[in-house]
């Protein structure tokens, strides 16, 4: 059993940049005396002035009592020398992202602090095992990975290197909890949890863009309005900055010895080469120059309501569409489940994508007039759906299928006939990566879902999403993607395969 550090314990924070200042704020608010150190003269004092102003603002808004705000502010002290951290029980490092510089600092610290002092790094990409290798007592070092901005983001990844003592990770976990954070345990593997499992959110969208599936605005709108993601992948990459995002993608890819799962995209390379770094440079996928506005998503104009609508079975999509049609006074009939047919409208047959293209699905099922719809987080709430139309589907049938969805109040974006549309393949690959992280002992299933909900604001943990989709369906989607591309990138996690055969899920 471990417990949180006492509030009397001095916390040292090294690096008074965006992250260090945020961590110092969290620790001071958590009741600890905090010593902040930066090698840029004046930087620590300036950061402390900023934190105190934050506390005052919080008091003015009633989020913190004036007494607590001034007490927390008074607990912060700027220091100039590592030797002044001798009485710390915990030192969190948030300096430049460089292994040698971090190792040198930790060695210097180790010579100064007591034997029981815990050392932690806020690194987002450097191996905790590698940092620890320079220490006489690597067991006292762990990762304590906050997200930006640290005072607002609840998630903290507590990262154990090969030598980290379980009690050290336990104490950090309990301390983060006492600070009001939601910690998760992770093993020190490339990208830890969030920066690894989030890769497909960008990678699949970049793939679809490379293959001409649709433009950025349309794909972003589908991810938001059907997928329930707060931001689409392209607008998010523009916000993160392509230099940063490409560097993370490349470093995770290299760290996994060039595993094609993590292969970066040439589009990212091009944007970085061009200096189109996103919002901060005025141009990325979108323009941020003065007066520029985002292009609207491609939306099929209103079509006539089709006749002879039949909905098959009781899938989530069929039930939601039935309710939406009813709400709009549109006539339809319901029939027993018929294979994976979702609906028919006029001469069209609609199915939810299973990772095949519409054209292949039409060929395999001998149904030329096939239209596929994308996955939605919740078909009863989605405002937009992507569709793809088989090559030999006639126009009248395609219009009937799209007209049905419009009659159920979906805005419809027709994508080129890429496999797995956009939301389904993205969610399938997120869940695949999450499953592999669990299978490889990086973290447990609950941790990965918590990390993705809180670290990157996903509307649902990828494994909970996999459960609700059904692992058999997920595995079918991944299998079809792997067949289409013939790439190891789309290999199905052994844990998903196991769970399908064992009739289990991730709950
Ligand atoms: P930053 O560049 O804003 O701040 C770094 C600070 O460290 C600067 O004030 C610099 O003067 C100081 N510094 C550099 N070397 C030092 C040394 N040897 N001794 C004392 N001070 C030194 O960087 P930021 O964004 O705060 O990142 C810091 C660390 O946190 C990095 O390891 C980064 O990977 C990690 N991180 C960053 C996140 C972000 O979104 N910015 C999120 C999570 C982790």
């Amino acid at each position: 059993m471990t417990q949180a550090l006492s509030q009397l314990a001095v916390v040292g924070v090294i690096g008074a940049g965006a992250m260090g200042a945020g961590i110092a704020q969290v620790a001071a608010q958590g009741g600890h005396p905090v010593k902040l150190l930066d090698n840029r003269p004046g930087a620590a004092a300036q950061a402390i002035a900023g934190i105190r102003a934050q506390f005052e603002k919080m008091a003015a808004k009633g989020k913190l009592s004036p007494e607590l705000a001034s007490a927390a502010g008074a607990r912060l002290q700027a220091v100039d020398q590592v030797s002044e951290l001798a009485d710390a029980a915990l030192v969190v490092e948030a300096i430049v992202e460089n292994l040698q510089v971090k190792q040198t600092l930790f060695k210097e610290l180790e010579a100064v602090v007591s034997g029981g002092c815990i050392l932690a790094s806020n690194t987002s990409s450097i191996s905790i095992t590698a940092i620890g290798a320079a220490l006489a007592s690597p067991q006292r070092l762990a990762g304590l990975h906050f997200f930006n901005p640290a005072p607002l983001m609840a998630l903290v990844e507590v990262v154990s290197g090969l030598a980290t003592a379980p009690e050290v990770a336990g104490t950090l976990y309990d301390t983060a909890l006492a600070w009001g954070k939601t910690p998760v345990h992770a093993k020190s593997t490339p990208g830890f949890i969030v920066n690894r499992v989030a890769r497909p959110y960008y990678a699949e969208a970049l793939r679809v863009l490379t293959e001409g599936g649709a433009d950025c605005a349309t794909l972003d709108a589908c991810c938001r309005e059907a997928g329930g993601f707060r931001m689409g992948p392209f607008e998010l990459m523009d916000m993160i900055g392509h230099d940063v995002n490409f560097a993370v993608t490349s470093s995770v890819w290299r760290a996994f010895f060039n595993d094609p799962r993590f292969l970066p995209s040439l589009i990212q390379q091009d944007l970085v080469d061009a200096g189109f770094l996103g919002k901060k440079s005025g141009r990325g996928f979108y323009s941020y120059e003065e007066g520029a506005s985002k292009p609207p998503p491609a939306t099929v104009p209103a079509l006539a309501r089709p006749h002879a609508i039949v909905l098959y079975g009781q899938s989530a999509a069929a039930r939601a569409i039935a309710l939406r049609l009813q709400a709009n006074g549109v006539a339809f009939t319901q029939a027993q489940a018929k294979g994976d047919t979702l609906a028919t409208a006029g001469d069209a047959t609609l199915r939810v994508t299973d990772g095949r293209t519409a054209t292949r699905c039409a060929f395999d099922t001998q149904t030329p007039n096939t239209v596929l719809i994308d996955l939605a987080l919740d078909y009863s709430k989605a405002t937009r759906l992507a569709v793809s139309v088989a090559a030999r589907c006639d126009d009248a049938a395609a219009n009937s299928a799209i007209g049905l969805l419009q009659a159920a109040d979906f805005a419809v974006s027709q994508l080129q006939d890429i496999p797995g549309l956009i939301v389904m393949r993205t969610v399938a690959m997120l869940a695949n990566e999450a499953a592999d992280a669990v299978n490889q002992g990086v973290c447990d299933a609950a941790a990965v879902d918590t990390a993705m909900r809180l670290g990157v604001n996903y509307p649902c943990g990828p494994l909970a999403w996999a459960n609700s989709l059904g692992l058999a369906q997920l595995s079918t989607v991944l299998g079809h993607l792997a067949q289409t591309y013939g790439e190891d990138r789309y290999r199905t996690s052994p844990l998903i395969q196991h769970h399908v055969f064992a009739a289990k899920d991730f709950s």
Side-chain angles (χ1 to χ4, degrees):
M1 268 299 279
T2 52
Q3 54 187 20
L5 290 174
S6 134
Q7 288 186 327
L8 298 175
V10 173
V11 175
V13 178
I14 309 185
M19 294 309 293
I23 296 165
Q25 178 176 335
V26 170
Q29 221 178 317
H32 298 267
V34 177
K35 293 182 174 180
L36 184 58
L37 171 74
D38 198 289
N39 65 0
R40 248 185 320 125
Q46 198 187 347
I48 288 176
I51 300 169
R52 289 188 180 136
Q54 278 299 321
F55 285 148
E56 276 166 29
K57 240 192 234 167
M58 288 161 78
K61 285 188 186 159
K63 290 184 181 163
L64 203 62
S65 76
E67 298 74 35
L68 284 180
S70 80
R75 283 194 282 268
L76 289 151
Q77 182 194 346
V79 297
D80 298 321
Q81 306 291 332
V82 170
S83 58
E84 292 176 79
L85 300 175
D87 60 348
L90 164 66
V91 179
V92 187
E93 164 277 314
I95 64 166
V96 283
E97 193 71 339
N98 176 301
L99 174 62
Q100 275 74 38
V101 181
K102 287 188 195 284
Q103 283 183 328
T104 304
L105 176 67
F106 278 116
K107 271 198 280 192
E108 200 184 334
L109 263 171
E110 209 181 20
V112 163
V113 295
S114 69
C117 176
I118 293 179
L119 303 179
S121 174
N122 184 50
T123 180
S124 23
S125 65
I126 300 177
S127 155
I128 297 300
T129 304
I131 300 175
L135 297 187
S137 309
Q139 65 275 12
R140 64 157 88 193
L141 177 86
L144 193 63
H145 185 214
F146 287 81
F147 288 74
N148 191 12
L152 297 182
M153 298 292 284
L155 183 69
V156 177
E157 292 176 333
V158 177
V159 185
S160 291
L162 211 49
T164 304
E167 311 80 65
V168 165
T171 303
L172 287 174
Y173 184 99
D174 296 338
T175 303
L177 208 56
W179 292 353
K181 297 296 177 190
T182 306
V184 291
H185 281 294
K187 219 168 68 175
S188 182
T189 50
F192 310 142
I193 305 175
V194 172
N195 279 333
R196 169 193 184 157
V197 176
R199 296 335 305 157
Y201 192 60
Y202 316 109
E204 288 311 302
L206 287 163
R207 253 306 164 96
V208 171
L209 185 70
T210 307
E211 293 176 17
D215 58 35
C216 299
T218 304
L219 296 170
D220 274 347
C222 293
C223 288
R224 280 195 316 269
E225 296 181 44
F229 291 96
R230 204 169 286 182
M231 290 179 86
F234 299 103
E235 52 200 5
L236 182 54
M237 282 186 269
D238 270 4
M239 198 187 83
I240 294 169
H242 296 291
D243 48 349
V244 174
N245 197 43
F246 183 46
V248 177
T249 309
S250 304
S251 96
V252 171
W253 174 61
R254 277 193 303 270
F256 277 108
F257 307 117
N258 301 6
D259 185 337
R261 268 280 177 77
F262 303 102
L263 190 73
S265 161
L266 287 175
I267 296 181
Q268 293 173 291
Q269 174 81 71
D270 265 358
L271 288 166
V272 172
D273 287 349
F276 297 165
L277 303 182
K279 233 174 185 165
K280 64 184 168 193
S281 73
R283 179 167 172 184
F285 287 111
Y286 300 103
S287 169
Y288 299 91
E289 270 153 29
E290 209 158 301
S293 59
K294 248 187 204 163
T299 305
V300 183
L303 297 169
R305 280 185 182 180
H307 57 87
I309 297 175
V310 185
L311 295 174
Y312 294 87
Q314 290 297 320
S315 65
R319 279 183 283 129
I321 292 173
L323 288 174
R324 293 175 70 134
L325 289 174
Q326 249 161 17
N328 283 353
V330 180
F332 64 95
T333 54
Q334 283 176 297
Q336 297 265 320
K338 188 171 112 190
D340 59 359
T341 299
L342 168 67
T344 51
D347 291 332
T349 297
L350 287 92
R351 294 187 164 85
V352 176
T353 174
D354 64 1
R356 287 178 291 182
T357 60
T359 302
R360 177 174 165 197
C361 202
F363 178 84
D364 288 347
T365 59
Q366 298 287 296
T367 318
N369 289 331
T370 292
V371 174
L372 299 183
I373 71 165
D374 202 357
L375 177 67
L377 173 65
D378 181 346
Y379 286 100
S380 66
K381 297 202 180 106
T383 50
R384 177 176 300 275
L385 269 184
V387 300
S388 67
V389 176
R392 298 182 60 193
C393 179
D394 65 47
D395 289 349
N399 289 350
S400 294
I402 294 170
L404 182 168
L405 297 171
Q406 290 175 337
D409 257 350
F410 293 103
V412 176
S413 290
Q414 183 177 342
L415 309 192
Q416 294 304 312
D417 190 19
I418 42 105
L421 300 180
I422 181 66
V423 178
M424 180 66 98
R425 66 188 278 165
T426 300
V427 169
M429 287 297 277
L430 288 171
N432 204 25
E433 202 50 56
D436 259 0
V438 173
N439 197 40
Q440 293 159 11
V442 176
C443 57
D444 60 28
V448 75
D449 275 4
T450 300
M452 302 317 287
R453 279 190 299 100
L454 300 182
V456 271
N457 289 318
Y458 287 177
C460 176
L463 296 180
W465 210 335
N467 288 346
S468 70
L469 183 63
L471 296 199
Q473 166 78 349
L474 173 67
S475 149
T476 303
V477 170
L478 291 167
H480 283 143
L481 288 169
Q483 269 177 21
T484 303
Y485 290 110
E487 286 173 47
D488 203 28
R489 179 191 189 93
Y490 294 100
R491 66 185 184 268
T492 306
S493 168
L495 191 58
I496 294 175
Q497 298 181 41
H498 170 271
H499 281 9
V500 170
F501 295 129
K504 274 180 67 173
D505 69 10
F506 290 105
S507 42

